[in-house]
Amino acid sequence: MARAASMGDVGQRRRIIGFPALVVLIILVGCGVVAIAWSLREAESRPGLSDHWHSAYAVWDCTDNNGEGAFQPIFEGRLNPQGYPYDPEGIHSHSDGLIHIHPFTANAAGEDAVMAKFFESMFVKMDVNGITASEFGVISAVGAECDGQPAVMQIVRWSRALTAVAAEPDERIYEDFGAVRFKRDGEAFTIALAPRDAVVPLPLTVNDLLGVSPSLVADLTQPEGPVEFDDSIDEDVPGVRVEDDG
C-alpha cells in the first residue's frame, strides 16, 4: 500500500514537472511564430518612408534595329511648375536609367510601392497592347513578331541586379504591369516587347547601382567552395606573377 502511494507521488511529481516544461515549450514556439510573422510583415511594409532604394531599368524593343532589337531612350519625365522633376509620391527617375524609390507618402510605401507610381511620375502608359512615352513614341505589341514568334509586352525582373544573369530572371510579368512591386534595393527591370521566355538584356545601368546604393556591395558575395586554378596556363606568357623566394 505504501509502495503504491509512493509510486503515485512519483507520477504526480512527474506531471507537475512536465506541465511547466510544456508551458515553456508552447511559449517558445509561440515567440518563434510571432518573430517570423513580424519579419514577414516588416518585409511586406518596405520600402518605408525612411528608405531610399534604387533599381536599374531599361526599355527593349525586339522589333527595332531591323529585328535585331534595341534599347529605347530612357524616360526624361517632366518638370513641375517650380522647375523640379514631377514626382508626386517619391518613385521617379533623374533621367539616369535608374528608378529612385523613396516614398514621400504611405500611398507609395510597402505594398503600394508599385510600377504604376513610376509610370505616373514619368508620364508613361503601358498595357498588353504596348507602351507609350514621349521619349520614343508608341511601341505596339499588336501583330508584332520577332524571330518568327509573336512578341508580347512584358516586364522582366532580376532581384539582385549586380549578380544577375540575363537568361535567368527571377520573374516575368505579362499583365497588370502597374501592380509590379518594388521589393528590395538593387533590383533590375527590363520593360520589353519580346517573345515569351525570350532572353532580354539587363539594363545598361546595372553597374551604376553601387554608386547610389553602396550597401549593395553585400550582394557581391564570393562563390562558395574552393578556388580552382587553371593548370593549363603557360608560364612563359608575360604577365604578373609572384616569385617564390624559397
Side-chain angles (χ1 to χ4, degrees), residues 17-29:
I17 294 173
F19 181 73
L22 180 61
V23 171
V24 171
L25 178 61
I26 292 173
I27 291 173
L28 290 175
V29 171

Side-chain angles (χ1 to χ4, degrees), residues 64-237:
D64 201 358
N65 191 27
N66 296 319
E68 295 294 323
F71 285 112
Q72 303 304 298
I74 59 176
F75 303 141
E76 300 290 341
R78 302 180 190 176
L79 300 180
N80 62 22
Q82 290 73 40
Y84 296 103
Y86 178 75
D87 180 22
E89 295 190 277
I91 300 179
H92 60 278
S93 181
H94 295 299
S95 306
D96 53 3
L98 299 176
I99 304 173
H100 297 251
I101 306 152
H102 49 94
F104 297 152
T105 72
N107 291 331
E111 294 183 349
D112 293 320
V114 293
M115 195 66 70
K117 305 293 185 181
F118 176 59
F119 286 162
E120 178 187 359
S121 66
M122 306 311 292
F123 294 86
V124 173
K125 293 183 179 181
M126 179 182 182
D127 58 25
V128 295
N129 294 315
I131 183 171
T132 302
S134 60
E135 292 77 13
F136 49 74
V138 178
I139 297 175
S140 176
V142 179
E145 289 190 358
C146 289
D147 295 327
Q149 301 180 54
V152 299
M153 295 305 303
Q154 55 192 280
I155 295 180
V156 186
R157 179 214 300 274
W158 295 266
S159 293
R160 298 178 184 272
L162 293 175
T163 57
V165 176
E168 300 175 4
D170 294 283
E171 187 178 10
R172 292 175 182 269
I173 301 98
Y174 296 104
E175 60 185 1
D176 203 8
F177 303 116
V180 174
R181 275 194 61 198
F182 300 108
K183 298 181 178 180
R184 72 182 301 271
D185 195 11
E187 294 180 295
F189 298 89
T190 295
I191 300 164
L193 173 63
R196 284 179 175 266
D197 300 323
V199 176
V200 299
L202 282 153
L204 299 175
T205 53
V206 162
N207 290 332
D208 295 336
L209 287 170
L210 270 181
V212 291
S213 291
S215 63
L216 290 176
V217 70
D219 286 353
L220 301 175
T221 56
Q222 292 292 331
E224 296 182 0
V227 177
E228 297 182 2
F229 295 94
D230 189 352
D231 295 331
S232 65
I233 295 177
D234 188 348
E235 294 183 357
D236 295 328
V237 174

